[in-house]
Amino acid sequence: MKISFIPAFKDNYIWLLTQGKRAFVVDPGDAAPVIARLHADDLTLEGILITHHHADHQGGVGELAARWQVEVYAPGSESIAGCTRPLSGGEQIDVLGQPVEVMAVPGHTLGHLAYVAPGALFCGDTLFGAGCGRLFEGTPAQMSASLDRFAALPDDTRVYCAHEYTEMNLRFALAVEPQNAALLARVERVAALRAAGLPSVPSTLGDERATNPFLRTSAPAVIEAGLQQGAASRDKTDVFAAIRAWRNSF
Ligand code: ZN
Ligand code: FE
């Protein structure tokens, strides 16, 4: 399975999965760039994976389903137009002949799903490069537990998130952990990529574990930063809540 991206809107990535001429897309918020790419590469769309209900992730489903006979996998508890395969997490689905695990990761939205293919995590708006999604519907405890589920995946898992937010997130990560050497190195690496017009994603879970403050709520420096921001205790969820609230006003 090959994975590439289709840029959409200002900073969305629609992930394109292909096996020969067969294709799946993840979170097609806009149909036009997907149709253009499928036609250009002479691909047949077989399925769509949706992580959550926000328009920038599902807005293109109707137009795509009108052109190709597709299965639409999506959170059953959210309102997704055209969903044919409602999921709740814990299922295993077949994507272009590969087993993909469906993971419930509430927090950004309550029904948010992630899709875990061999070596690849499609995490929507739950985990970003050096950051995480806003808590629109869930609680800090839910989001923190969702991120813990990602953190249990192997270091070399590639993280295919839905937005190019890494540079912005790194500025915040540096405020949390100014002494983190891996973080300082990543800032350089990402600045070079972006200056060259290249995406900063996918990253790896190893990168995120080493530099993403929201996966580091057990690290002493992040706990101290959380306490300074008013965390009620050194507990993971309290530290996560304080860091997430700080990020919102950063
Ligand atoms: Zn969203
Ligand atoms: Fe989004």
Side-chain angles (χ1 to χ4, degrees), residues 166-209:
T166 316
E167 256 188 326
M168 226 160 43
N169 287 336
L170 284 169
R171 278 197 283 278
F172 175 73
L174 269 182
V176 180
E177 280 192 289
Q179 316 289 348
N180 179 334
L183 178 55
L184 292 162
R186 188 175 184 191
V187 167
E188 298 294 316
R189 229 163 47 235
V190 168
L193 284 169
R194 299 303 293 149
L198 296 170
S200 68
V201 292
S203 61
T204 66
L205 215 49
D207 271 343
E208 298 305 334
R209 245 196 302 273

Side-chain angles (χ1 to χ4, degrees), residues 144 147-148 151 176-177 208-209 212-227 233-241 243:
S144 183
L147 294 173
D148 278 350
V176 180
E177 280 192 289
E208 298 305 334
R209 245 196 302 273
N212 188 324
F214 299 103
L215 291 185
R216 297 177 53 74
T217 46
S218 301
V222 178
I223 293 172
E224 289 313 314
L227 290 170
S233 76
R234 311 176 75 88
D235 173 81
K236 221 171 170 181
T237 303
D238 287 336
V239 171
F240 175 84
I243 300 284

Side-chain angles (χ1 to χ4, degrees), residues 12 52 54 56-57 108 125 128 162-163 165:
N12 282 69
H52 68 293
H54 290 156
D56 65 310
H57 298 256
H108 179 68
D125 286 357
F128 291 124
H163 290 272
Y165 288 162

Side-chain angles (χ1 to χ4, degrees), residues 75-107:
S77 64
E78 297 193 349
S79 169
I80 314 285
C83 173
T84 63
R85 299 285 195 102
L87 302 167
S88 58
E91 299 91 345
Q92 191 185 96
I93 61 175
D94 179 280
V95 174
L96 304 172
Q98 297 238 40
V100 168
E101 306 286 338
V102 183
M103 200 186 262
V105 286

